[in-house]
Amino acid sequence: MTGLGPVAWPPAPIRTQRLVLREPEARDRAGVIELFTSAEVGMYIGGPRQRDECERAVPETPTRRTGLFVVALDGTMIGLVTLERRDTEHPVHIRPGVSEVELGYMFLRQAWGHGYAAEACAAALDWCAGALPGEPVVLTTQTANERSMRLAANLGFTEVQRYEDWGAEQWFGMWSPVVLSD
């Protein structure tokens, strides 16, 4: 796998108490389009995309991509979680010149407030800790996005710095897996 390093992709579906994290399937297309065209979901990430543009851009079977998990509840897609390498040219890093793994997430509005994002992101972080032992994970969110800030804290991310980008204050944090010694 080129995107995250020397781990096999895709992994077997990850099952939590209520959710399954898996690769995209054709049945997820409508949910993906709804996710990217929602004004509420897009509020802190540059706004929603136009529905007709999204309908043309999203293939009938969504593209499989290293680090992309569809989050499903009772077989229905409710969100996406991503683990991707941050570009080494990005101005903010914990280790300059090193491409860190970055956690991203988007959930349909009707899935908010039920703990699904925390459950799915924790599962993805656990998977990452097993696949890339000792690798820190970074996360960026707008400070104005209170839900995302709470989620980052609940997941154990600690603030590295704040900076201005995209016309807003951004919060940059880091999560490190707990390494147990024998």
Side-chain angles (χ1 to χ4, degrees), residues 1-177:
M1 146 175 135
T2 58
L4 289 174
V7 295
W9 191 267
I14 300 168
R15 297 182 189 289
T16 69
Q17 184 177 358
R18 303 177 292 174
L19 307 171
V20 176
L21 281 68
R22 57 169 171 75
E23 282 198 290
E25 299 173 355
R27 64 182 165 153
D28 302 322
R29 185 176 189 271
V32 169
I33 291 169
E34 182 181 346
L35 191 63
F36 283 98
T37 60
S38 166
E40 290 175 300
V41 173
M43 180 179 288
Y44 299 106
I45 57 171
R49 291 178 59 183
Q50 296 296 317
R51 182 164 290 277
D52 61 338
E53 169 195 323
C54 219
E55 290 278 354
R56 285 190 305 273
V58 176
E60 288 301 317
T61 301
T63 307
R64 292 178 171 179
R65 191 176 83 221
T66 300
L68 171 66
F69 293 102
V70 164
V71 180
L73 172 68
D74 297 327
T76 301
M77 179 257 185
I78 61 166
L80 301 173
V81 171
T82 58
L83 291 165
E84 298 178 309
R85 288 276 172 199
R86 175 173 234 167
D87 185 353
T88 57
E89 300 302 313
H90 194 282
V92 180
H93 285 277
I94 53 174
R95 300 175 296 185
V98 176
S99 115
E100 296 117 353
V101 175
E102 183 169 25
L103 175 70
Y105 42 84
M106 295 173 66
F107 284 80
L108 294 169
R109 175 64 186 98
Q110 61 266 29
W112 295 3
H114 301 282
Y116 300 137
E119 188 174 328
C121 288
L125 288 169
D126 284 347
W127 174 85
C128 188
L132 299 166
E135 177 95 22
V137 178
V138 299
L139 179 147
T140 300
T141 189
Q142 283 189 22
T143 56
N145 188 343
E146 294 174 8
R147 287 178 176 274
S148 189
M149 293 287 294
R150 278 193 308 273
L151 177 58
N154 289 340
L155 291 169
F157 281 84
T158 57
E159 183 173 330
V160 174
Q161 75 180 80
R162 293 179 186 216
Y163 64 100
E164 287 288 320
D165 201 8
W166 305 96
E169 183 181 53
Q170 306 293 321
W171 182 91
F172 177 67
M174 180 183 82
W175 175 88
S176 291

